[in-house]
Amino acid sequence: PGIIAIIIMIVGAMLTSLVIAREYENGTMETIRSLPIRAGEFLIGKAIPYFAIALIDVLIAVLMGQVLFGVVMKASFALMILASSLYILVALTLGLLISSVTKSQMVANQTAVLITYLPSLLLSNFVFPIVNMPAFLQGVTWLVPATYYIDILSGIYLRNLGLAELWPPLAILAGIFALLAILNVIVLKREGL
């Protein structure tokens, strides 16, 4: 189940980290600033296609896990879709924030790898158990959204947990999404959008 978190982070954060930076590099950001749209509408418009792609990737990963490896979900499929949608939103807003701040596709791509992909792979309880990490890294793992998503997927796939048991990591992901969305709007408003 943990590989789903890595797939979403690649599609969500790494691809969206190039979206707004491309507008700056092509010089089309000035045209966008002159349009009668708000920062939130601009961000939603940029995120919708990548949300759909990431959700399709999740469904393909679930199907492949069942067909090829016999990994069957023990809990609710709807809860998994809810958690996945929330995690996708976190990944998208993080990628869009990176894109807004860096303004260069090359820098945005490298930053996205360092901030999203590598921590999701190494510091999320996917490859290395958190309990075996040094105390400092254990503290850093609580800043990695994949930590919470992998915990949710483990509960859904392996322990047959429901919303009553999984609401704390879901609430944390919702909080991270809200914080990143607010930061995105603030950054774009400072840019004149």
Side-chain angles (χ1 to χ4, degrees), residues 7-81:
I7 291 169
I8 291 175
M9 198 51 75
I10 290 171
V11 172
M14 291 181 66
L15 292 180
T16 55
S17 69
L18 304 175
V19 172
I20 298 174
R22 185 178 309 120
E23 301 289 352
Y24 282 109
E25 284 186 356
N26 292 340
T28 54
M29 199 61 178
E30 290 300 321
T31 306
I32 291 170
R33 283 187 191 124
S34 67
L35 296 174
I37 60 170
R38 289 184 233 122
E41 296 168 344
F42 175 71
L43 290 168
I44 290 170
K46 291 291 186 184
I48 286 174
Y50 295 102
F51 181 85
I53 292 169
L55 197 56
I56 290 169
D57 284 348
V58 168
L59 296 174
I60 290 171
V62 168
L63 180 67
M64 298 295 279
Q66 279 187 318
V67 172
L68 295 178
F69 303 109
V71 180
V72 180
M73 206 177 306
K74 293 187 177 176
S76 167
F77 179 74
L79 182 59
M80 196 277 299
I81 293 298

Side-chain angles (χ1 to χ4, degrees), residues 22-152:
R22 185 178 309 120
E23 301 289 352
Y24 282 109
E25 284 186 356
N26 292 340
T28 54
M29 199 61 178
E30 290 300 321
T31 306
I32 291 170
R33 283 187 191 124
S34 67
L35 296 174
I37 60 170
R38 289 184 233 122
E41 296 168 344
F42 175 71
L43 290 168
I44 290 170
K46 291 291 186 184
I48 286 174
Y50 295 102
F51 181 85
I53 292 169
L55 197 56
I56 290 169
D57 284 348
V58 168
L59 296 174
I60 290 171
V62 168
L63 180 67
M64 298 295 279
Q66 279 187 318
V67 172
L68 295 178
F69 303 109
V71 180
V72 180
M73 206 177 306
K74 293 187 177 176
S76 167
F77 179 74
L79 182 59
M80 196 277 299
I81 293 298
L82 171 73
S84 297
S85 297
L86 190 55
Y87 183 65
I88 290 168
L89 291 173
V90 169
L92 293 175
T93 53
L94 188 55
L96 289 170
L97 183 62
I98 291 168
S99 187
S100 297
V101 170
T102 57
K103 298 182 181 113
S104 162
Q105 290 187 69
M106 186 177 76
V107 174
N109 189 28
Q110 296 302 316
T111 305
V113 169
L114 290 174
I115 291 178
T116 62
Y117 175 68
L118 290 177
S120 296
L121 186 66
L122 301 175
L123 300 176
S124 64
N125 215 19
F126 174 60
V127 175
F128 303 109
I130 292 175
V131 294
N132 294 341
M133 294 179 188
F136 170 73
L137 286 180
Q138 286 183 14
V140 172
T141 62
W142 299 114
L143 299 174
V144 178
T147 303
Y148 305 103
Y149 183 62
I150 288 174
D151 187 38
I152 293 166

